[in-house]
Amino acid sequence: MRGQLLGAWRMGPCVTRASCIFRTHTWPAALWLALVVACTSPGAGAVTISPRRLLELSDLGNPALSPDGRQVAFRVERASVERNAYDSIWYVQRLDGRSPPLRIGEGGEPLRELVTGLVMPSPAVWSQDGRWLYYRARIDGRVSVWRAASDGASAVEMVHDPADVQDFALGADGARLLYSVGATRDAVFAAEQREYEQGVRIDETVVLAAGLHRSARVNGRAATQRFLGDWFSTGPLLADMPARWKVVDLDTGVVRDAAVHELPSATKKAASFSAALPIPTMRAAHPHDNRVAVVFPAGEPESGMLQPRDRMLAVLPHMRSTQWRRCADRLCNGRTISDVRWRPGHDEVLFTTTDHERGRAQTIYRWNVATGAVQPVVVSAGLVSGSQRHWDVPCAVSAMTLVCVAAEADRPPRLEAIDIDTGQRRILFEPNKGLERDIAAVAPARMIRWTDVRGREFTGQFFEAKNAGRPSPLFVTFYTCQGFLRGGLGDEWPLASLAEQGISALCINALPGFRLDYVERHDQGRTAVESVVAALAAEGKVDPDRVGMGGLSFGSEVTLWTLMHSNVVAAASVSSISPTPSYYLLNSLRAPFRSNLQLMWQLGAPDETPERWKTISPAFQLDRVRVPVLFQLPEQEFRMLLDYALPLLRRKQGDLYVFPEEAHIKFQPRHKLAAYHRNIDWFRFWLQAYEDPDPGKTVQYRLWRQMRAHGSGAEYRGRTGETD
């Protein structure tokens, strides 16, 4: 049945204890005060779930268990709007949970992926005796390796190199620290200055859509960027310099170049798998013998799919073997496997699945390779991994225990210890308890399922507004809805804040797998939105005439596609681009870009495939975009959508904001907070006819009123209740 709801269930039960477990002696006074406010205050004014509370929550990640399995180290990251920066702190906590975490060292400003803006995983390494923790950190403008005492007594910078540290490892004897570097900071700076003075030669590596000189942030400073890979991966100047490995004697501090036999095993040229086998998507070598746990693609891709949806778990007796032992249990088959590793001291492989039918919730299993038995360790209602930000970062593991970051749509990240044999879960650290409590009281989420007109099943996380029984406006975002949902993928639309202020919010998961046909891939979003609006409207929960939509990356493309092919949306907000002639032109020097665009978008140059461009690009479909659109773009991308954004601005149907020095996903706290507030204001204006009385927003509302008077909104669309 069209829009049929298949059932719903609430996320995990809320714990009632509301106290924070930070201690004043482990935090600077200002940060301690901010955390107390975050845990006890309902936020500014009458708003309980304010955008700032969502932004400044404590993110957890990078758990690492001590050699004796009794302690776990982890990092806490937190945004500061005042300083427009992030703090990260390393902690150690005993697994018995009898004492709060002990702060052992500063983690510095988190390192980020240049193109996405996401915080990179930052694995830490314990010394063999459990006395020290080694980690990489950017402090005082350089990326080094630091050593912190596990009892909190000291934290010392161990590397003083003129280049930033790219990777590190402890020597097998525990007396040496190995680290790798590329070009020195001075050499990179000089190369940038030389280009500035002599002119930038334009070739396929130059990021033409961004500024030519120091247009990105690399390790905390403004830096020039270059394309490195076959799609949009970028790095700083001189990033192609081969890495050099060095050795520090931990007793004397003497530094020398590493010999070949000293290099970490991961950097050595490893024996490749047999050509008779499929290329594995992931592998895990057994720590004490030659066996390798591998995940292979299961079969050939379905017609029209980029790659097989499912994975096959197996164990090889050694790397070059052509024979494998496959996990034959049904729990191993038809699954999307995101992590695989050996359980220490056992003949078992632990693997993590991400399940579409449960809203992309994760489950961890253990497979006994001797008996073939597979048993679930933990079945979560959200993420259970090593990071709230990275679903594929593994939990820390010992012989008996997993330590994971757990999070659900309406439950912020917390640290849990999980018994591998029994599955018993214990919360070790929950710094966001106050926010969790308030979301549970004001705007809890629940997972819903529904089908579209083709019978395809979708899932989403629904934050329902409390509107005294009246149908509410609805905001939807489309792409992926994993872990704690501050603002959907990219954290642009504060879902719980919208729900608290009377606009129900829904995050929709895209169907699994990547369909090559652009039209089919994007039209799933349109049918998902239309069908869920019909279903929720039939239940009397939402008003089908007051629906807003927004998205990032693929979600932005789907939002514009839905505007072009449906009347279901009344106002939209996007933070990324859709294909345009400018997008093609600015990237067309790169052969890999052209081939990928042909494969995944079925586009050549605009004069080569003109009909396909007319079908796909909003630049050729402006007559079909009939609602107001808010654009909030990073500086390095906005030039590629001016083909359609500027015409919408000229006809008073769009509003465009560009954030300097931002990546694909905005990360500067003030920028994120500004985007949060503007999105709330935008959808409250168009869906509720509400204006914030803040005098600082006078100009904003004057422009939006002009747009409304000019015909933007439902009246301009000429709604008929039917799709085009």
Side-chain angles (χ1 to χ4, degrees):
M1 179 185 300
R2 178 182 174 91
Q4 179 185 10
L5 287 174
L6 300 184
W9 49 275
R10 271 292 311 279
M11 285 312 195
C14 294
V15 182
T16 58
R17 186 169 63 86
S19 61
C20 292
I21 66 175
F22 290 103
R23 294 295 182 265
T24 55
H25 71 276
T26 64
W27 286 82
L31 186 54
W32 165 247
L33 178 60
L35 285 165
V36 171
V37 171
C39 289
T40 61
S41 168
V47 179
T48 302
I49 314 301
S50 69
R52 184 161 179 169
R53 288 189 75 190
L54 294 172
L55 175 62
E56 293 189 327
L57 65 75
S58 294
D59 266 319
L60 309 177
N62 309 288
L65 280 162
S66 60
D68 63 6
R70 296 180 180 179
Q71 298 184 93
V72 62
F74 59 93
R75 194 172 74 172
V76 177
E77 302 154 12
R78 193 166 186 271
S80 167
V81 173
E82 283 84 0
R83 293 182 293 103
N84 198 34
Y86 289 80
D87 297 295
S88 69
I89 307 292
W90 280 97
Y91 287 87
V92 166
Q93 185 175 14
R94 294 188 62 82
L95 261 62
D96 60 19
R98 295 178 182 175
S99 57
L102 175 67
R103 172 179 170 165
I104 63 168
E106 302 284 341
E109 181 82 5
L111 301 174
R112 295 184 178 276
E113 297 173 357
L114 183 55
V115 65
T116 66
L118 287 172
V119 172
M120 295 193 305
S122 182
V125 178
W126 284 85
S127 62
Q128 294 175 355
D129 58 10
R131 294 178 56 202
W132 309 101
L133 190 77
Y134 294 84
Y135 55 88
R136 196 167 64 116
R138 184 180 69 82
I139 298 175
D140 295 332
R142 58 186 179 272
V143 181
S144 302
V145 179
W146 286 69
R147 182 175 74 179
S150 60
D151 62 2
S154 64
V156 179
E157 186 177 12
M158 302 301 294
V159 172
H160 302 272
D161 201 281
D164 287 336
V165 174
Q166 298 175 341
D167 198 2
F168 77 96
L170 279 181
D173 58 5
R176 296 164 297 135
L177 174 70
L178 294 90
Y179 70 94
S180 66
V181 294
T184 66
R185 290 180 291 274
D186 286 346
V188 174
F189 188 87
E192 293 173 345
Q193 191 63 24
R194 189 162 51 249
E195 276 198 342
Y196 181 83
E197 294 170 353
Q198 298 180 5
V200 178
R201 182 182 181 276
I202 302 302
D203 61 18
E204 69 277 5
T205 69
V206 176
V207 186
L208 292 175
L212 295 180
H213 181 68
R214 295 176 183 163
S215 61
R217 283 196 178 187
V218 178
N219 293 339
R221 78 168 184 89
T224 299
Q225 58 183 323
R226 286 289 186 270
F227 285 120
L228 299 178
D230 62 355
W231 191 230
F232 280 93
S233 297
T234 59
L237 288 184
L238 309 184
D240 55 354
M241 178 176 289
R244 291 179 56 204
W245 279 88
K246 300 182 180 182
V247 178
V248 180
D249 186 294
L250 294 177
D251 291 327
T252 67
V254 174
V255 181
R256 59 177 172 81
D257 288 338
V260 173
H261 72 273
E262 294 178 298
L263 296 181
S265 58
T267 68
K268 298 176 183 177
K269 187 174 181 179
S272 59
F273 288 92
S274 168
L277 298 179
I279 298 174
T281 58
M282 58 191 69
R283 69 180 78 175
H286 194 283
H288 303 302
D289 58 43
N290 293 324
R291 288 180 296 173
V292 184
V294 293
V295 177
F296 292 130
E300 295 297 320
E302 298 174 28
S303 176
M305 300 292 290
L306 179 64
Q307 55 193 3
R309 293 187 186 183
D310 300 328
R311 300 291 183 264
M312 177 180 69
L313 178 62
V315 167
L316 304 177
H318 56 83
M319 184 78 74
R320 297 295 296 171
S321 174
T322 59
Q323 303 296 318
W324 66 80
R325 178 166 188 168
R326 179 176 179 174
C327 179
D329 193 282
R330 62 178 182 81
L331 296 175
C332 296
N333 298 315
R335 304 280 179 171
T336 299
I337 299 176
S338 55
D339 174 58
V340 59
R341 69 194 31 230
W342 290 91
R343 179 183 179 184
H346 292 72
D347 204 23
E348 292 183 342
V349 172
L350 300 171
F351 64 98
T352 303
T353 66
T354 302
D355 304 321
H356 173 72
E357 66 275 9
R358 297 194 304 112
R360 297 199 175 179
Q362 291 187 309
T363 301
I364 300 177
Y365 297 93
R366 55 190 177 104
W367 169 38
N368 188 307
V369 298
T371 67
V374 177
Q375 294 179 294
V377 176
V378 56
V379 181
S380 79
L383 286 188
V384 55
S385 67
S387 169
Q388 153 70 13
R389 295 294 191 181
H390 296 272
W391 55 269
D392 54 348
V393 171
C395 303
V397 61
S398 68
M400 302 305 296
T401 307
L402 287 163
V403 177
C404 306
V405 177
E408 292 85 43
D410 56 359
R411 294 189 69 188
R414 59 199 179 275
L415 196 70
E416 292 190 1
I418 303 169
D419 186 286
I420 296 176
D421 287 327
T422 68
Q424 180 181 2
R425 303 171 68 171
R426 293 183 293 110
I427 294 178
L428 295 174
F429 183 49
E430 46 184 346
N432 304 299
K433 188 60 190 174
L435 178 61
E436 176 187 328
R437 175 198 61 209
D438 289 342
I439 291 177
V442 174
R446 59 188 174 93
M447 195 194 82
I448 61 174
R449 294 186 181 93
W450 69 97
T451 57
D452 69 359
V453 291
R454 293 175 53 181
R456 297 178 297 190
E457 181 177 311
F458 291 89
T459 63
Q461 299 291 345
F462 184 47
F463 295 77
E464 184 175 355
K466 297 179 179 179
N467 282 334
R470 300 188 307 275
S472 69
L474 174 68
F475 168 78
V476 298
T477 183
F478 181 90
Y479 197 169
T480 181
C481 315
Q482 293 176 303
F484 179 62
L485 295 178
R486 269 170 281 209
L489 183 69
D491 287 343
E492 289 269 345
W493 303 270
L495 304 180
S497 300
L498 284 166
E500 182 181 5
Q501 297 183 60
I503 299 175
S504 292
L506 173 65
C507 182
I508 302 175
N509 287 304
L511 296 174
F514 188 92
R515 294 211 162 268
L516 290 171
D517 185 86
Y518 183 98
V519 173
E520 185 176 1
R521 188 167 73 244
H522 289 69
D523 209 46
Q524 65 164 286
R526 175 188 65 83
T527 65
V529 174
E530 289 179 341
S531 55
V532 78
V533 168
L536 292 173
E539 291 187 353
K541 294 186 179 298
V542 305
D543 180 348
D545 289 327
R546 293 186 294 161
V547 176
M549 186 175 181
L552 173 125
S553 197
F554 177 47
S556 282
E557 295 180 51
V558 168
T559 298
L560 265 296
W561 180 266
T562 302
L563 298 188
M564 290 155 48
H565 296 279
S566 176
N567 284 329
V568 70
V569 175
S573 166
V574 296
S575 60
S576 303
I577 62 173
S578 291
T580 66
S582 293
Y583 169 73
Y584 181 88
L585 178 66
L586 291 169
N587 294 284
S588 59
L589 286 179
R590 297 186 291 132
F593 168 83
R594 299 195 302 271
S595 61
N596 277 327
L597 201 67
Q598 181 65 55
L599 173 66
M600 296 186 290
W601 276 261
Q602 298 80 55
L603 290 172
D607 60 344
E608 295 172 342
T609 55
E611 294 306 314
R612 189 66 171 175
W613 276 99
K614 291 177 182 178
T615 299
I616 287 176
S617 175
F620 300 102
Q621 298 275 352
L622 283 170
D623 60 323
R624 302 176 67 91
V625 178
R626 299 183 293 273
V627 303
V629 184
L630 173 65
F631 300 95
Q632 300 200 83
L633 272 290
E635 183 180 16
Q636 65 183 15
E637 295 183 10
F638 86 100
R639 294 171 180 85
M640 295 183 284
L641 60 59
L642 295 180
D643 308 58
Y644 56 86
L646 291 184
L648 291 177
L649 265 62
R650 286 199 301 269
R651 72 189 199 192
K652 299 189 184 303
Q653 199 182 332
D655 198 7
L656 171 63
Y657 296 82
V658 178
F659 293 87
E661 293 187 343
E662 284 292 2
H664 188 56
I665 296 175
K666 303 177 188 70
F667 61 87
Q668 296 182 51
R670 291 178 186 171
H671 287 169
K672 292 192 76 70
L673 189 61
Y676 270 171
H677 281 298
R678 189 172 291 119
N679 273 316
I680 289 177
D681 291 345
W682 177 259
F683 288 109
R684 296 204 72 188
F685 179 84
W686 293 107
L687 303 183
Q688 294 178 314
Y690 173 84
E691 296 185 18
D692 188 333
D694 181 350
K697 298 179 179 179
T698 300
V699 174
Q700 166 183 284
Y701 286 114
R702 182 186 304 137
L703 171 63
W704 294 353
R705 286 194 298 271
Q706 291 172 356
M707 293 171 62
R708 185 170 58 197
H710 194 73
S712 289
E715 295 81 4
Y716 184 88
R717 289 183 299 146
R719 286 186 56 87
T720 65
E722 298 293 333
T723 61
D724 292 344

